Amino acid sequence: MKNEQMTPKELEDRLIDFAVRIGNVADALPETPLGQHIADQILRSGTSPAPNYSEGCAAESRRDFAHKLSISLKELRETKTWLRIIRKADLIPTKRLHAITDETDQLCAILSQSVHTAKEKVRGR
């Protein structure tokens, strides 16, 4: 994670890259009932943060911006849980999931701070 503050475009690009990487995780899951169920779920949650963030950047109000960022964060947290399930079920080797899990944690931290800041600005009106 960068030490300096990211621009909205840089964060959006990072979320798009994350969505692509989650697609690769889904593609690597076995074609078993469990593997396919998780693939469907992780595709939904893991590709949702980027467009929700993009919508937030075009929000009509600070409240709407905070709401869209909250949705992005919620979906990232869900994705993190699906990654944990993948690891626990030994569907993909843990070493292959390390980088995407780390990126999920970093994006959660970034969006969590952004949601907090956005909500403070809404309250501070």
Side-chain angles (χ1 to χ4, degrees):
M1 185 163 47
K2 296 180 182 179
N3 288 335
E4 69 274 2
Q5 189 172 358
M6 275 190 287
T7 67
K9 168 103 172 69
E10 288 171 330
L11 181 53
E12 183 177 10
D13 287 346
R14 195 164 165 184
L15 288 165
I16 289 169
D17 290 345
F18 178 79
V20 171
R21 291 173 67 192
I22 286 297
N24 293 334
V25 169
D27 288 346
L29 287 165
E31 292 193 24
T32 61
L34 178 61
Q36 291 309 290
H37 171 72
I38 293 171
D40 291 343
Q41 295 296 321
I42 203 167
L43 278 172
R44 285 183 185 93
S45 65
T47 59
S48 174
N52 275 297
Y53 178 79
S54 180
E55 283 289 315
C57 289
E60 295 176 10
S61 68
R62 286 183 177 177
R63 185 174 311 268
D64 187 34
F65 175 74
H67 176 69
K68 294 294 187 190
L69 260 61
S70 293
I71 292 170
S72 292
L73 178 58
K74 174 185 165 293
E75 296 294 331
L76 280 169
R77 287 179 176 150
E78 180 180 335
T79 302
K80 184 176 177 175
T81 300
W82 286 118
L83 289 168
R84 290 180 62 206
I85 293 169
I86 291 167
R87 273 195 313 276
K88 291 271 188 180
D90 290 323
L91 298 176
I92 295 176
T94 300
K95 66 182 178 182
R96 286 189 58 198
L97 296 173
H98 179 72
I100 192 70
T101 299
D102 183 54
E103 179 68 352
T104 308
D105 290 341
Q106 288 182 34
L107 289 169
C108 280
I110 292 165
L111 283 182
S112 180
Q113 184 59 51
S114 296
V115 167
H116 176 75
T117 301
K119 287 182 176 179
E120 286 298 312
K121 287 182 178 180
V122 168
R123 287 185 205 117
R125 285 201 268 180

